Amino acid sequence: MDTSADPMPTPAKIAIYDLDRTITRAPTWTPFLLHAVTHHAPWRLALLPAVIGAAALRALGLIHRDRLKQVMHRAALGTLTPARAEHIAAGWLARFGPAHIRRGARAQIAADRAHGHRIVIATAAYGFYAEAIARDVGADALIATHTAIDSLGRLLPRIEGDNCYGPAKRDMIERWFADQGIARDRATVRFYSDHVSDVPSFEWADEPVVVNPHAALRRVAAQRGWRQVDWNG
C-alpha cells in the first residue's frame, strides 16, 4: 500500500477587478440608463424630475445610495425581461465600450490570464448589464448587484440582497469563493480597484493593486505601500 501523502493541490490564482473607473474610464450606470431611455423609451424622460429629486436627497445624505439606485432603475427602465435587458445592454456596450474600456485593463486581464489567473469582475453595477462587459473583456465570472425577480421572471427595480459595494463587496467575494469550493488559504488573490470604498477587499487580497486612484485612495495606498498603476494611456 502506498502510504505517501497526497500532493498538495496547486493554489488557485484569482485576479479580481472592480468595474467602474477601473476597467472602464467612466461610471457605467448613468450612461447605460441614458442609452436605454433615449434609444428605447424616450417617454421616460418625463420621469427625470423624480431622479433629480432623489439625487438631491442623496447629496444631502437624506437617502441611501441603494435607494437612489432603485429610483433611477424604476424611472429609466421600469420592469423588463432578461432578454430585453440583454438587448439594451448589447446596444449600449457597442457605443460605450470602444471609447471607455481601458486598453490598460484589457492588457492586464490578458497578462493575468496568461499567468494562470482566473478573471473575476466584482462590481456594484447590476449584473443584467455588467454581464455584457464581463463577456467583452473575457472575464470568467461576475460578482454583481442583483435585482429582484417577479413570478414571471421579470427584473424589478429593487435590489435583491446586498448592493455589491464597500464591505458588502468583500462579503460577496467570500461567498463566491465558498460557492466555487475555493479555500481562501489555498488561493492567491490579486485585487484591482480605483476607489477607497474597496479598502475592505484590498485588505483581504494578497496583492492589492490600485488603479488610477482618486485622492482618498491614493493617500491610503501610500500609507499601506500598495502598488499603484496608471491605465490612462
Side-chain angles (χ1 to χ4, degrees), residues 51-74:
V51 175
I52 293 173
L57 292 175
R58 172 60 192 158
L60 294 171
L62 298 178
I63 63 172
H64 194 270
R65 68 175 60 251
D66 294 9
R67 177 58 181 161
L68 174 59
K69 192 171 189 173
Q70 292 170 124
V71 169
M72 294 172 74
H73 184 170
R74 182 178 298 278

Side-chain angles (χ1 to χ4, degrees), residues 85-173:
E86 183 175 357
H87 174 71
I88 295 171
W92 166 74
L93 183 61
R95 294 171 177 269
F96 180 88
H100 293 290
I101 295 178
R102 297 184 189 272
R103 291 193 298 273
R106 289 191 186 276
Q108 188 60 57
I109 287 169
D112 282 341
R113 183 180 301 284
H115 285 90
H117 287 79
R118 189 172 179 183
I119 308 301
V120 180
I121 294 175
T123 175
Y126 280 120
F128 64 77
Y129 78 90
E131 180 64 37
I133 293 180
R135 286 195 301 268
D136 185 75
V137 300
D140 299 298
L142 173 67
I143 302 168
T145 304
H146 297 290
T147 58
I149 299 174
D150 69 11
S151 60
L152 298 177
R154 297 175 300 184
L155 307 177
L156 302 176
R158 187 173 74 247
I159 293 173
E160 182 72 20
D162 294 324
N163 188 23
C164 188
Y165 182 88
K169 179 183 287 190
R170 182 204 58 215
D171 293 344
M172 291 173 73
I173 292 171

Side-chain angles (χ1 to χ4, degrees), residues 34 37-38 41-53 71 74-76:
L34 288 173
V37 170
T38 56
W43 64 268
R44 287 187 174 274
L45 288 171
L47 302 176
L48 184 59
V51 175
I52 293 173
V71 169
R74 182 178 298 278

